[in-house]
CSV table of all heavy atoms in Angstrom, one decimal:
chain,number,residue,atom,x,y,z
H,243,LEU,N,174.5,133.7,212.1
H,243,LEU,CA,174.4,133.4,213.5
H,243,LEU,C,173.9,134.5,214.3
H,243,LEU,O,174.3,135.7,214.1
H,243,LEU,CB,175.8,133.0,214.1
H,243,LEU,CG,176.0,132.7,215.5
H,243,LEU,CD1,175.3,131.4,215.9
H,243,LEU,CD2,177.5,132.6,215.9
H,244,ASP,N,172.9,134.3,215.1
H,244,ASP,CA,172.3,135.3,216.0
H,244,ASP,C,172.5,134.8,217.4
H,244,ASP,O,171.7,134.0,218.0
H,244,ASP,CB,170.8,135.5,215.7
H,244,ASP,CG,170.2,136.6,216.4
H,244,ASP,OD1,170.7,137.0,217.5
H,244,ASP,OD2,169.2,137.2,216.0
H,245,MET,N,173.6,135.3,218.1
H,245,MET,CA,173.9,134.8,219.4
H,245,MET,C,172.9,135.3,220.4
H,245,MET,O,172.6,134.6,221.4
H,245,MET,CB,175.3,135.3,219.8
H,245,MET,CG,176.4,134.7,218.9
H,245,MET,SD,178.0,135.2,219.4
H,245,MET,CE,178.2,134.3,220.9
H,246,SER,N,172.2,136.4,220.2
H,246,SER,CA,171.2,136.9,221.1
H,246,SER,C,170.0,136.0,221.2
H,246,SER,O,169.4,135.9,222.3
H,246,SER,CB,170.8,138.3,220.8
H,246,SER,OG,170.1,138.3,219.6
H,247,LYS,N,169.8,135.3,220.1
H,247,LYS,CA,168.6,134.4,220.1
H,247,LYS,C,169.0,132.9,220.2
H,247,LYS,O,168.2,132.0,220.1
H,247,LYS,CB,167.8,134.5,218.8
H,247,LYS,CG,167.1,135.9,218.7
H,247,LYS,CD,166.3,136.0,217.4
H,247,LYS,CE,165.6,137.3,217.2
H,247,LYS,NZ,164.8,137.4,216.0
H,248,SER,N,170.4,132.7,220.3
H,248,SER,CA,170.9,131.3,220.3
H,248,SER,C,170.4,130.5,219.1
H,248,SER,O,169.9,129.4,219.2
H,248,SER,CB,170.5,130.6,221.6
H,248,SER,OG,171.2,131.1,222.7
H,249,GLN,N,170.5,131.2,217.9
H,249,GLN,CA,170.1,130.6,216.7
H,249,GLN,C,171.1,130.7,215.6
H,249,GLN,O,171.9,131.7,215.6
H,249,GLN,CB,168.8,131.2,216.2
H,249,GLN,CG,167.6,131.0,217.0
H,249,GLN,CD,166.3,131.7,216.5
H,249,GLN,OE1,166.4,132.7,215.8
H,249,GLN,NE2,165.2,131.1,216.8
H,250,PHE,N,171.2,129.8,214.7
H,250,PHE,CA,172.0,129.9,213.5
H,250,PHE,C,171.1,129.5,212.3
H,250,PHE,O,170.2,128.7,212.5
H,250,PHE,CB,173.3,129.2,213.5
H,250,PHE,CG,173.3,127.7,213.7
H,250,PHE,CD1,173.5,126.9,212.6
H,250,PHE,CD2,173.0,127.1,215.0
H,250,PHE,CE1,173.5,125.5,212.8
H,250,PHE,CE2,173.0,125.8,215.1
H,250,PHE,CZ,173.3,125.0,214.1
H,251,SER,N,171.4,130.0,211.2
H,251,SER,CA,170.5,129.8,210.0
H,251,SER,C,171.2,129.4,208.7
H,251,SER,O,172.4,129.6,208.6
H,251,SER,CB,169.8,131.1,209.8
H,251,SER,OG,169.0,131.5,210.9
H,252,LEU,N,170.5,128.8,207.9
H,252,LEU,CA,171.0,128.4,206.6
H,252,LEU,C,170.1,129.0,205.5
H,252,LEU,O,168.8,128.9,205.6
H,252,LEU,CB,170.9,126.9,206.5
H,252,LEU,CG,171.1,126.2,205.1
H,252,LEU,CD1,172.6,126.4,204.7
H,252,LEU,CD2,170.7,124.8,205.1
H,253,LYS,N,170.7,129.5,204.5
H,253,LYS,CA,170.0,129.9,203.2
H,253,LYS,C,170.6,129.2,202.1
H,253,LYS,O,171.8,129.2,201.9
H,253,LYS,CB,170.0,131.4,203.0
H,253,LYS,CG,169.1,132.2,204.0
H,253,LYS,CD,169.0,133.6,203.6
H,253,LYS,CE,168.3,134.5,204.6
H,253,LYS,NZ,166.9,134.0,204.8
H,254,LEU,N,169.8,128.5,201.3
H,254,LEU,CA,170.2,127.8,200.1
H,254,LEU,C,169.4,128.3,198.9
H,254,LEU,O,168.2,128.1,198.9
H,254,LEU,CB,170.1,126.3,200.3
H,254,LEU,CG,170.7,125.4,199.2
H,254,LEU,CD1,172.2,125.6,199.0
H,254,LEU,CD2,170.4,123.9,199.5
H,255,THR,N,170.0,128.9,198.0
H,255,THR,CA,169.3,129.5,196.8
H,255,THR,C,169.1,128.5,195.7
H,255,THR,O,169.7,127.5,195.6
H,255,THR,CB,170.1,130.8,196.3
H,255,THR,OG1,171.4,130.4,195.9
H,255,THR,CG2,170.2,131.8,197.4
H,256,TYR,N,168.3,128.9,194.8
H,256,TYR,CA,168.0,128.2,193.5
H,256,TYR,C,167.8,126.7,193.8
H,256,TYR,O,168.5,125.9,193.2
H,256,TYR,CB,169.2,128.4,192.6
H,256,TYR,CG,169.4,129.9,192.2
H,256,TYR,CD1,170.5,130.6,192.7
H,256,TYR,CD2,168.5,130.5,191.4
H,256,TYR,CE1,170.7,131.9,192.5
H,256,TYR,CE2,168.7,131.9,191.1
H,256,TYR,CZ,169.8,132.6,191.6
H,256,TYR,OH,169.9,133.9,191.4
H,257,MET,N,166.9,126.4,194.6
H,257,MET,CA,166.6,125.0,195.0
H,257,MET,C,166.0,124.3,193.8
H,257,MET,O,165.2,124.8,193.0
H,257,MET,CB,165.5,125.0,196.1
H,257,MET,CG,166.1,125.6,197.4
H,257,MET,SD,167.1,124.4,198.3
H,257,MET,CE,165.9,123.3,199.0
H,258,THR,N,166.5,123.0,193.7
H,258,THR,CA,166.0,122.1,192.7
H,258,THR,C,165.6,120.8,193.3
H,258,THR,O,165.9,120.6,194.5
H,258,THR,CB,167.0,121.9,191.6
H,258,THR,OG1,168.1,121.1,192.1
H,258,THR,CG2,167.5,123.2,191.0
H,259,ALA,N,165.1,119.9,192.6
H,259,ALA,CA,164.7,118.6,193.1
H,259,ALA,C,165.8,117.8,193.8
H,259,ALA,O,165.6,117.1,194.8
H,259,ALA,CB,164.0,117.7,192.0
H,260,VAL,N,167.0,118.0,193.3
H,260,VAL,CA,168.1,117.3,193.9
H,260,VAL,C,168.5,117.8,195.3
H,260,VAL,O,169.2,117.2,196.1
H,260,VAL,CB,169.4,117.3,193.0
H,260,VAL,CG1,169.1,116.7,191.7
H,260,VAL,CG2,169.9,118.7,192.9
H,261,ASP,N,167.9,118.9,195.7
H,261,ASP,CA,168.1,119.5,197.0
H,261,ASP,C,167.1,118.9,198.0
H,261,ASP,O,167.1,119.3,199.2
H,261,ASP,CB,168.0,121.0,197.0
H,261,ASP,CG,169.1,121.6,196.2
H,261,ASP,OD1,170.3,121.2,196.4
H,261,ASP,OD2,168.8,122.5,195.4
H,262,THR,N,166.1,118.1,197.6
H,262,THR,CA,165.2,117.5,198.5
H,262,THR,C,165.9,116.6,199.4
H,262,THR,O,166.7,115.7,199.0
H,262,THR,CB,164.2,116.6,197.7
H,262,THR,OG1,163.3,117.5,196.9
H,262,THR,CG2,163.3,115.8,198.6
H,263,ALA,N,165.8,116.8,200.7
H,263,ALA,CA,166.5,116.0,201.7
H,263,ALA,C,166.0,116.4,203.1
H,263,ALA,O,165.3,117.3,203.3
H,263,ALA,CB,168.0,116.4,201.6
H,264,VAL,N,166.5,115.5,204.1
H,264,VAL,CA,166.3,115.9,205.5
H,264,VAL,C,167.5,116.8,205.8
H,264,VAL,O,168.7,116.4,205.6
H,264,VAL,CB,166.3,114.7,206.4
H,264,VAL,CG1,166.3,115.1,207.8
H,264,VAL,CG2,165.1,113.8,206.0
H,265,TYR,N,167.3,117.9,206.3
H,265,TYR,CA,168.3,118.9,206.7
H,265,TYR,C,168.5,118.8,208.2
H,265,TYR,O,167.5,119.0,209.0
H,265,TYR,CB,167.9,120.3,206.3
H,265,TYR,CG,168.1,120.5,204.8
H,265,TYR,CD1,167.2,119.9,203.9
H,265,TYR,CD2,169.2,121.1,204.3
H,265,TYR,CE1,167.4,120.1,202.5
H,265,TYR,CE2,169.4,121.3,202.9
H,265,TYR,CZ,168.5,120.8,202.0
H,265,TYR,OH,168.7,120.9,200.6
H,266,TYR,N,169.7,118.6,208.7
H,266,TYR,CA,170.0,118.5,210.1
H,266,TYR,C,170.9,119.7,210.5
H,266,TYR,O,171.9,120.1,209.7
H,266,TYR,CB,170.8,117.3,210.4
H,266,TYR,CG,170.1,116.0,210.2
H,266,TYR,CD1,170.3,115.2,209.1
H,266,TYR,CD2,169.3,115.5,211.2
H,266,TYR,CE1,169.7,113.9,209.0
H,266,TYR,CE2,168.6,114.3,211.1
H,266,TYR,CZ,168.8,113.5,210.0
H,266,TYR,OH,168.2,112.3,209.8
H,267,CYS,N,170.7,120.2,211.6
H,267,CYS,CA,171.7,121.1,212.2
H,267,CYS,C,172.4,120.3,213.3
H,267,CYS,O,171.9,119.4,213.9
H,267,CYS,CB,171.1,122.4,212.8
H,267,CYS,SG,169.8,122.2,214.1
Side-chain angles (χ1 to χ4, degrees):
Chain H
L243 177 66
D244 187 336
M245 296 182 71
S246 66
K247 294 183 179 179
S248 292
Q249 293 178 334
F250 62 104
S251 299
L252 167 72
K253 288 189 186 298
L254 185 61
T255 61
Y256 301 107
M257 294 283 283
T258 69
V260 298
D261 296 311
T262 293
V264 175
Y265 285 75
Y266 294 100
C267 58

